[in-house]
């Protein structure tokens, strides 16, 4: 079994286990709309994954099953014990298929036909406008032999986040203690003590690295399987697509990444199926034959961002407005900006696709995406221009993320400037011209506005001489930040400042330095925005 | 025995010359003064943050909070770590005080409700006056005095 298939199988089995739980719940709460929605979603995902892997039997079978819940969801069919029994039997059948060779063989052909027949019967009943009440007529198979033993799939151990968090804070504590011990040994250099302290340091450094690596995974790990998926799906839909990934070295907390996999997959499928046009059509509209999908990951401020960008046909604002009015989401007379309208695609059941395809289009996609991303405390937004393409931006919290930063001193206090924002560093002595009143300086024949961080953060100016300048990006522009001194590069584990400092956006968190001191991590974008704001008010 | 059951333990501490008390169930630990990192753009009573074994702990200067003058730290100055709010995960905050005295037992009869004391006392902050024998201790309710949301509202208004 290749790794993709193995992954697919273990995921599918998880979905089935989930579904089984849901079905049992549904039995006691047959009218719970959110349960039905979840069942439908799980089936939809299972179908989509199977289609992607090319398992026709499973795809078709799931498609039938999903159709039942589509009717239930639309209120055309009521959940009855017959439906639940058939679904449960079907789930067992599916799990049998998944554990076998995913094909219909002699042993399960009979079962497969009976179940398919039953499902079709239910669908036919409802199409005639009758509720299924005569469940007895359906042959329900609950033969013990057909219930397969699910084999445990444990590729690794899942650890609750709290335990990891506790470990991480204990490790930081250990490092802090280690730094203290080093100071003590240098004061009292006894050979035995020094040797013991050194060995301890080696071990604690390894523990730290290990603990960090347990929680952090580069985005690349998640993205690699997508290449194959994009390629296969594009080929299936007769589209030509270049899939480009950028910034995949950005590290993300493992738990966050796990929750991201499915939403990203959905978004990519959307881009391929609905975004990118057929090659011929693209050429007609003057676009290159090859569509382009870019997956970009980067760290900015207190967040990690993931962007999926395609240069496809984009969304038709008018169509969204009409669908929204039809679905009763907005009123005809409502004045809503295009940007807001676009976000409506995240509402459950919202789909403007004219045709339902196997990969997407029933309008379950985007609301699942939004829900899943909200589960990992992220936010998602969509920006689209018709004929030019669509960009979906996912904003994720950084909580456990490590950022590379530049450790600087401002008025004697330690601050960390995220390295992602830094362009270049200069010494004040290399500045050719500096105008304190206009706050502009000239470096390398470039005129760059600057902000004195001492003034900005402490409120007093020139208490200490500033020696160095950090040039940072501010949108398209560059802005210099005056600091006392640059102490060096530092890998910062961001810790939140807590509720007392919620109002404070110029500091995105704090980090603990090796010697136990605290350094505040600056959000340079906010610092600059605040400084500009102040200035414009003063004028 | 009956009397003992009704008695609660209080930790007393001083600010300026005044004696204050807080229920010991709210106190997690008492720390010596350690380097406090000032956070820019925060109200003056927010002294900053300290490193509490790898966690960031905000520190409120009780003197400034109560409108007393700022004085340099002494050997007795310390930080009382208190838990704010009920529930499984109370919000931790360090409160900077001049000195910590002792833990005393106060029976209900020893405590005068603040409403009985008169208008000079802000009943929002002080829930009662405890009679310690030779002195009175003002009993604080940490939830009211140091609640994050209210403090931030105050800060925004000033």
């Amino acid at each position: 079994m290749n790794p993709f298939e193995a992954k697919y199988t273990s995921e599918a089995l998880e979905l089935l286990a989930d579904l089984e739980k849901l079905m049992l719940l549904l039995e006691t709460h047959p009218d719970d709309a959110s349960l039905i929605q979840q069942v439908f979603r799980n089936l939809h995902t299972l179908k989509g994954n199977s289609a992607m892997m090319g398992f026709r039997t499973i795809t078709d079978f799931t498609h039938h099953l999903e159709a039942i819940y589509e009717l239930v969801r639309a209120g055309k069919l009521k959940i009855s014990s017959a439906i639940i029994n058939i679904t449960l039997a079907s789930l067992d059948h599916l799990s049998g298929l998944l554990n076998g060779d995913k094909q219909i063989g002699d042993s399960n052909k009979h079962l497969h036909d009976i179940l398919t027949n039953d499902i079709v019967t239910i669908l036919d009943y409802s199409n005639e406008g009758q509720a299924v009440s005569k469940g007895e007529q359906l042959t329900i198979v609950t033969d013990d032999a057909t219930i397969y033993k699910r084999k445990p799939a444990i590729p690794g151990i899942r650890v609750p986040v709290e335990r990891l968090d506790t470990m991480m804070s204990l490790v930081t504590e250990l490092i802090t203690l280690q730094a203290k011990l080093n100071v003590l040994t240098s004061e009292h250099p006894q050979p035995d003590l020094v040797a013991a302290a050194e060995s301890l340091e080696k071990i604690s450094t390894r523990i730290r690295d290990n603990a960090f690596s347990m929680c952090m995974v580069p985005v690349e790990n998640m993205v690699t399987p997508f290449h194959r998926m994009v390629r296969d799906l594009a080929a299936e839909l007769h589209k030509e697509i270049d899939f480009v990934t950028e910034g995949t070295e950005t590290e993300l907390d493992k738990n966050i990444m796990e929750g991201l996999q499915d939403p990203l997959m959905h978004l990519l499928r959307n881009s391929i199926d609905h975004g990118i046009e057929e090659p011929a059509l693209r050429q007609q509209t003057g676009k290159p034959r090859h569509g382009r999908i870019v997956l970009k990951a980067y760290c900015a401020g207190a967040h990690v961002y993931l962007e999926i960008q395609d240069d496809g046909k984009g969304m038709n604002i008018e169509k969204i407005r009409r669908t929204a009015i039809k679905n009763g989401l907005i009123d005809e007379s409502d004045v809503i900006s295009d940007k807001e309208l676009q976000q409506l695609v995240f509402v459950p059941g919202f789909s403007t696709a004219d045709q339902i395809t196997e990969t997407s289009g029933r309008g379950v996609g985007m609301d699942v995406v939004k829900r899943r991303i909200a589960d990992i405390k992220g936010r998602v937004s969509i920006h689209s221009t018709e004929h030019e393409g669509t960009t979906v931006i996912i904003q994720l919290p950084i909580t456990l993320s490590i950022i590379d930063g530049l450790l600087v001193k401002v008025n004697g206090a330690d601050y960390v400037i995220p390295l992602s924002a830094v362009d270049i560093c200069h010494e004040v002595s290399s500045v050719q011209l500096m105008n304190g009143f206009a706050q502009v300086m000239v470096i390398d024949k470039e005129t760059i506005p600057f902000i004195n961080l001492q003034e900005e953060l402490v409120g007093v100016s020139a208490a200490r001489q500033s020696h160095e300048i950090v040039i940072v990006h501010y949108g398209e522009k560059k802005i210099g930040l005056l600091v006392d001194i640059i102490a060096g590069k530092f890998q910062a584990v961001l810790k939140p400042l807590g509720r007392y400092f919620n109002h404070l956006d110029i500091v995105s968190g704090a980090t603990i330095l090796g010697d136990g001191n605290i350094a505040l991590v600056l959000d340079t974008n906010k610092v600059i925005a605040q400084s500009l704001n102040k200035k414009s008010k003063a004028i | 025995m009956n009397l003992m059951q009704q008695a609660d333990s209080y930790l007393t501490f001083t600010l300026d010359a005044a004696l204050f008390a807080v229920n010991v169930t709210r106190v997690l630990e008492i720390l010596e003064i350690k380097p406090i990192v000032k956070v820019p753009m925060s109200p003056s009573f927010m002294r900053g943050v300290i490193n509490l074994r790898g966690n960031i702990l905000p520190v409120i200067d009780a003197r400034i909070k109560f409108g007393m003058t700022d004085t340099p730290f002494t050997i007795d100055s310390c930080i009382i770590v208190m838990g704010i709010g009920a529930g499984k995960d109370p919000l931790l905050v360090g409160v900077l005080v001049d000195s910590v005295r002792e833990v005393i037992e106060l029976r209900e009869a020893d405590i005068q409700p603040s409403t009985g004391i008169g208008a000079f006392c802000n009943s929002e902050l002080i829930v009662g006056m405890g009679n310690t024998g030779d002195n009175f201790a003002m009993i604080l309710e940490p939830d009211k005095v140091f609640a994050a949301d209210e403090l931030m509202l105050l800060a925004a208004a000033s």
Side-chain angles (χ1 to χ4, degrees):
Chain A
M1 209 186 277
N2 68 39
F4 298 113
E5 188 174 337
K7 181 144 199 332
Y8 155 79
T9 310
S10 81
E11 261 180 27
L13 286 175
E14 256 177 58
L15 279 173
L16 286 182
D18 225 30
L19 273 166
E20 196 172 270
K21 244 183 273 164
L22 287 171
M23 291 317 296
L24 297 176
L25 274 176
L26 205 54
E27 198 158 27
T28 40
H29 310 279
D31 295 320
D32 190 329
S34 78
L35 276 177
I36 293 167
Q37 188 83 357
Q38 277 183 48
V39 170
F40 182 66
R41 273 191 200 136
N42 278 3
L43 284 171
H44 189 72
T45 315
L46 179 63
K47 185 185 73 168
N49 287 350
S50 310
M52 209 173 72
M53 296 295 297
F55 297 125
R56 278 237 70 87
T57 322
I58 298 179
T59 315
D60 291 346
F61 190 74
T62 320
H63 182 76
H64 286 311
L65 206 54
E66 185 191 356
I68 294 184
Y69 289 91
E70 164 117 70
L71 289 173
V72 174
R73 197 165 69 129
K76 289 180 189 145
L77 197 61
K78 266 196 113 49
I79 289 285
S80 65
S81 62
I83 292 183
I84 289 180
N85 285 339
I86 284 178
T87 313
L88 282 173
S90 306
L91 293 180
D92 289 335
H93 175 54
L94 280 171
S95 110
L97 281 171
L98 283 166
N99 283 322
D101 58 0
K102 305 180 175 65
Q103 303 278 338
I104 295 296
D106 295 336
S107 55
N108 48 15
K109 176 152 194 341
H110 178 65
L111 177 63
H112 185 81
D113 291 344
I114 291 179
L115 283 171
T116 315
N117 196 24
D118 285 354
I119 293 169
V120 172
T121 318
I122 291 183
L123 289 174
D124 286 349
Y125 263 134
S126 70
N127 284 348
E128 285 161 20
Q130 280 177 271
V132 184
S133 50
K134 299 170 194 158
E136 316 81 72
Q137 288 185 354
L138 303 165
T139 334
I140 292 156
V141 189
T142 43
D143 187 358
D144 277 350
T146 62
I147 299 172
Y148 289 78
K149 280 260 177 330
R150 283 176 191 152
K151 62 175 171 196
I154 308 176
I157 305 174
R158 277 170 204 247
V159 181
V161 194
E162 304 90 65
R163 281 194 208 170
L164 272 181
D165 284 349
T166 321
M167 190 184 66
M168 291 298 284
S169 67
L170 285 174
V171 167
T172 11
E173 217 171 298
L174 182 70
I175 299 299
T176 314
L177 259 176
Q178 180 68 52
K180 222 180 229 171
L181 183 65
N182 288 354
V183 174
L184 280 177
T185 44
S186 64
E187 279 171 10
H188 311 281
Q190 283 178 18
D192 298 359
L193 185 63
V194 172
E198 271 175 10
S199 336
L200 185 64
E201 178 162 28
K202 270 184 207 146
I203 295 175
S204 47
T205 316
R206 282 182 59 187
I207 292 180
R208 182 198 61 189
D209 292 351
N210 239 312
F212 283 167
S213 67
M214 261 185 243
C215 305
M216 307 295 296
V217 198
V219 175
E220 189 164 4
N221 287 15
M222 171 178 60
V223 168
T224 317
F226 291 161
H227 284 277
R228 166 80 188 269
M229 184 207 94
V230 172
R231 193 193 138 274
D232 289 357
L233 192 56
E236 193 182 306
L237 297 167
H238 308 293
K239 291 180 180 178
E240 289 168 27
I241 294 171
D242 291 329
F243 180 51
V244 186
T245 52
E246 285 172 22
T248 48
E249 73 281 358
T250 312
E251 289 206 316
L252 253 181
D253 191 42
K254 186 189 153 298
N255 301 302
I256 293 178
M257 196 168 299
E258 219 161 53
L260 259 182
Q261 190 121 20
D262 293 342
L264 278 183
M265 198 98 105
H266 252 114
L267 291 172
L268 279 175
R269 266 188 229 150
N270 269 346
S271 281
I272 299 164
D273 196 15
H274 303 302
I276 305 287
E277 312 91 328
E278 322 274 311
L281 188 74
R282 287 180 66 88
Q283 274 178 330
Q284 272 176 27
T285 49
K287 285 183 183 177
R289 212 179 141 79
H290 279 265
R292 193 178 151 86
I293 297 179
V294 184
L295 196 149
K296 222 193 288 183
Y298 56 94
C299 191
H303 300 279
V304 172
Y305 292 85
L306 284 175
E307 279 184 27
I308 295 180
Q309 204 175 343
D310 70 58
D311 64 347
K313 57 178 177 254
M315 296 194 299
N316 184 324
I317 294 289
E318 236 351 271
K319 207 163 163 186
I320 295 176
R321 188 190 299 275
R322 280 202 307 270
T323 316
I325 292 170
K326 201 175 77 193
N327 289 6
L329 288 173
I330 56 169
D331 224 41
E332 200 133 357
S333 55
D334 284 354
V335 181
I336 290 172
S337 75
D338 289 358
K339 215 168 162 183
E340 282 173 305
L341 267 174
Q342 288 178 353
Q343 313 311 321
L344 288 178
V345 296
F346 293 113
V347 175
F350 192 97
S351 177
T352 57
D354 303 320
Q355 277 183 338
I356 291 168
T357 69
E358 205 164 82
T359 29
S360 41
R362 269 181 173 158
V364 270
M366 291 310 248
D367 71 301
V368 190
V369 169
K370 185 167 187 166
R371 172 100 77 95
R372 288 284 179 83
I373 289 172
D375 282 348
I376 47 175
K377 304 206 167 48
R379 290 206 320 231
V380 59
S381 61
I382 190 164
H383 307 275
S384 182
T385 316
E386 202 176 6
H387 307 306
E388 279 176 27
T390 306
T391 306
V392 177
I393 301 174
I394 301 171
Q395 184 195 58
L396 295 164
I398 213 162
T399 25
L400 268 173
S401 301
I402 299 180
I403 59 158
D404 272 319
L406 210 56
L407 188 62
V408 300
K409 283 197 183 279
V410 178
N411 206 25
D414 295 301
Y415 289 93
V416 173
I417 297 174
L419 214 52
S420 56
V422 175
D423 182 48
I424 198 168
C425 302
H426 281 290
E427 285 189 26
V428 168
S429 54
S430 68
V431 174
Q432 282 135 1
L433 210 82
M434 199 155 172
N435 185 327
F437 179 71
Q439 302 218 312
V440 211
M441 60 189 172
V442 180
I443 293 180
D444 292 341
K445 291 173 189 149
E446 225 183 321
T447 314
I448 297 175
F450 71 87
I451 292 169
N452 189 341
L453 277 189
Q454 255 181 43
E455 246 175 68
E456 199 52 45
L457 299 175
V458 191
V460 289
S461 68
R464 273 170 207 236
Q465 186 64 41
S466 301
H467 292 292
E468 293 183 273
I469 299 163
V470 183
I471 312 276
V472 296
H473 299 287
Y474 179 61
E476 300 289 291
K477 284 179 261 178
K478 285 180 191 172
I479 289 191
L481 301 176
L482 239 59
V483 301
D484 299 358
I485 199 157
I486 298 170
K489 232 182 94 176
F490 184 71
Q491 273 211 333
V493 185
L494 265 184
K495 295 188 177 259
L497 276 181
R499 284 224 313 266
Y500 283 100
F501 300 102
N502 263 353
H503 63 292
L504 195 72
D505 53 2
I506 62 168
V507 176
S508 53
T511 186
I512 291 169
L513 303 176
D515 59 1
N517 279 338
I518 295 176
L520 299 178
V521 180
L522 292 177
D523 185 338
T524 50
N525 282 333
K526 299 279 164 55
V527 173
I528 294 166
Q530 178 192 297
S531 165
L532 294 180
N533 206 355
K534 253 195 244 168
K535 227 179 279 172
S536 64
K537 261 188 203 156
I539 295 165
Chain B
M1 198 61 214
N2 204 14
L3 282 177
M4 284 305 289
Q5 274 171 354
Q6 284 177 347
D8 261 341
S9 299
Y10 288 84
L11 177 74
T12 58
F13 56 91
T14 61
L15 287 170
D16 244 350
L19 189 65
F20 290 84
V22 62
N23 198 314
V24 284
T25 56
R26 316 308 295 269
V27 177
L28 279 99
E29 60 184 307
I30 299 165
L31 305 170
E32 286 176 28
I33 293 291
K34 37 165 98 191
I36 302 177
V37 175
K38 178 86 187 150
V39 178
M41 320 292 296
S42 48
S44 57
F45 60 80
M46 286 306 305
R47 196 79 196 202
V49 288
I50 59 168
N51 171 6
L52 178 64
R53 290 188 299 278
N55 287 312
I56 308 285
L57 182 82
V59 176
I60 293 178
D61 191 331
R63 292 183 69 102
I64 301 176
K65 172 74 185 140
F66 294 147
M68 300 169 183
T69 51
D70 193 10
T71 55
F73 296 148
T74 67
I75 185 106
D76 290 328
S77 300
C78 58
I79 298 168
I80 305 176
V81 183
M82 295 186 196
I84 306 289
K88 207 173 117 236
D89 264 328
L91 177 70
L92 296 190
V93 59
V95 179
L96 196 63
V97 299
D98 284 355
S99 72
V100 168
R101 285 292 169 80
E102 57 182 340
V103 175
I104 54 169
E105 301 258 317
L106 287 178
R107 283 168 300 144
E108 251 176 64
D110 296 332
I111 301 175
Q112 287 246 25
S114 59
T115 44
I117 303 168
F120 77 95
C121 168
N122 185 347
S123 64
E124 281 294 300
L125 304 182
I126 292 163
V127 289
M129 295 290 250
N131 188 344
T132 63
D134 52 354
N135 203 343
F136 276 100
M138 287 170 262
I139 298 171
L140 296 179
E141 176 51 57
D143 283 357
K144 286 184 179 157
V145 185
F146 304 116
D149 306 335
E150 280 175 40
L151 285 189
M152 287 311 109
L153 277 180
L154 269 174
S158 64

